[in-house]
């Protein structure tokens, strides 16, 4: 295919590549543009977030300082998934303080830190209902994690979500339940996620 555009590479990133922008999650570099700002030529990565119908322009020279990064490798994905099976670590501090910490982890763009938020805020059917703000943070974290794992492993977001839920089902608080009950709960949880996304 001689008509295919050659990927342009700047600062280790290339056009067409999926990347992670800390406060927005997975996006794709669709182009590298030049703009003139106050008489200076500025080279920009054009990062498209299809699911959010949003486009960001990030100066190529500032890519590292804003935290733009390549997708996690298989080892980090494995570490993040393993994190989900650990015991939740919930500090005994005020919710507003914990919420800020969770928000900071989600916006860090660090897949393992995001997995910690998913693990800590996860609720099985047998556990008390989450507050609205807990649910919002949980949804944001699981959405970030799902998107990145889907792109890294080249699977659908639904398959990535099932993988995450499968790991959560192995967490200590779920021990002692039959596998069938766990599978049913995982499916119900997925239906809830899909209803809320709609």
């Amino acid at each position: 295919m001689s008509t295919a555009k050659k990927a342009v590479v700047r600062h280790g990133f290339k056009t067409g590549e999926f990347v992670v922008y800390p406060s927005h999650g997975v996006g794709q570099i669709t182009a590298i543009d030049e703009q003139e700002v106050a008489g200076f030529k500025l080279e920009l990565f054009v990062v498209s977030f299809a699911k959010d119908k949003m486009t960001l322009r990030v100066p190529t020279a500032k890519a590292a300082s804003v935290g733009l990064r390549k997708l996690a490798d298989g080892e980090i994905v494995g570490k993040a998934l393993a994190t989900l099976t650990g015991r939740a670590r919930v500090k005994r501090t005020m919710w507003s303080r914990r919420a800020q910490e969770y928000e900071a982890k989600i916006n860090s763009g660090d897949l393992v830190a995001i997995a910690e938020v998913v693990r800590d805020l996860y609720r099985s059917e047998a556990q008390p209902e989450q507050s609205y703000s807990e649910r919002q943070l949980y949804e944001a974290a699981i959405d970030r994690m799902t998107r990145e794992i889907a792109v890294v492993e080249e699977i659908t977001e639904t398959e990535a979500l099932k993988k995450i839920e499968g790991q959560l089902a192995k967490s200590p608080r779920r021990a002692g339940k039959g596998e069938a009950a766990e599978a049913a709960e995982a499916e119900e949880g997925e239906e809830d996620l899909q209803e809320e996304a709609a």
Side-chain angles (χ1 to χ4, degrees):
M1 286 190 26
S2 56
T3 55
K5 277 209 242 164
K6 191 177 184 313
V8 182
V9 180
R10 293 285 186 283
H11 299 274
F13 296 101
K14 61 179 184 279
T15 51
E17 179 178 21
F18 282 96
V19 292
V20 175
Y21 188 86
S23 55
H24 298 294
V26 177
Q28 187 174 23
I29 297 176
T30 53
I32 296 175
D33 275 355
E34 260 192 16
Q35 273 184 353
E36 199 166 304
V37 180
F40 293 97
K41 277 204 188 311
L42 196 59
E43 194 175 53
L44 306 161
F45 286 122
V46 180
V47 185
S48 172
F49 300 86
K51 197 166 184 180
D52 301 322
K53 296 179 175 63
M54 178 180 80
T55 302
L56 274 184
R57 284 174 168 69
V58 182
T60 56
K62 290 203 180 291
S65 63
V66 298
L68 191 72
R69 69 166 172 84
K70 291 185 174 294
L71 291 173
D73 59 24
E75 189 181 329
I76 291 172
V77 168
K79 205 174 185 179
L81 287 169
T83 299
L84 299 176
T85 63
R87 191 171 293 280
R89 294 193 183 101
V90 180
K91 291 181 184 167
R92 301 236 178 268
T93 54
M94 287 177 59
W95 167 247
S96 58
R97 168 87 36 89
R98 277 186 298 155
Q100 283 178 331
E101 288 175 13
Y102 290 141
E103 189 92 37
K105 281 184 175 185
I106 293 168
N107 290 328
S108 71
D110 177 343
L111 193 60
V112 176
I114 294 168
E116 289 170 4
V117 176
V118 172
R119 176 198 66 203
D120 294 350
L121 292 178
Y122 173 69
R123 293 278 188 279
S124 71
E125 300 296 310
Q127 290 175 303
E129 196 57 36
Q130 284 175 313
S131 70
Y132 178 74
S133 55
E134 275 183 309
R135 188 89 187 145
Q136 291 291 94
L137 285 168
Y138 175 75
E139 294 293 335
I142 204 162
D143 184 58
R144 289 276 173 88
M145 198 172 172
T146 301
R147 284 196 213 180
E148 187 161 359
I149 289 173
V151 176
V152 170
E153 299 197 349
E154 296 177 4
I155 56 176
T156 66
E157 286 187 24
T158 306
E159 289 170 318
L161 184 59
K162 279 186 178 158
K163 199 170 203 172
I164 291 167
E165 288 172 340
Q167 289 297 102
L168 287 167
K170 296 176 189 172
S171 64
R173 79 194 96 191
R174 303 293 292 273
K177 286 195 173 189
E179 280 183 28
E182 287 181 357
E185 283 182 24
E187 279 177 26
E188 283 172 27
E190 187 176 346
E191 285 165 17
D192 292 349
L193 286 173
Q194 288 170 343
E195 282 169 23
E196 285 179 25

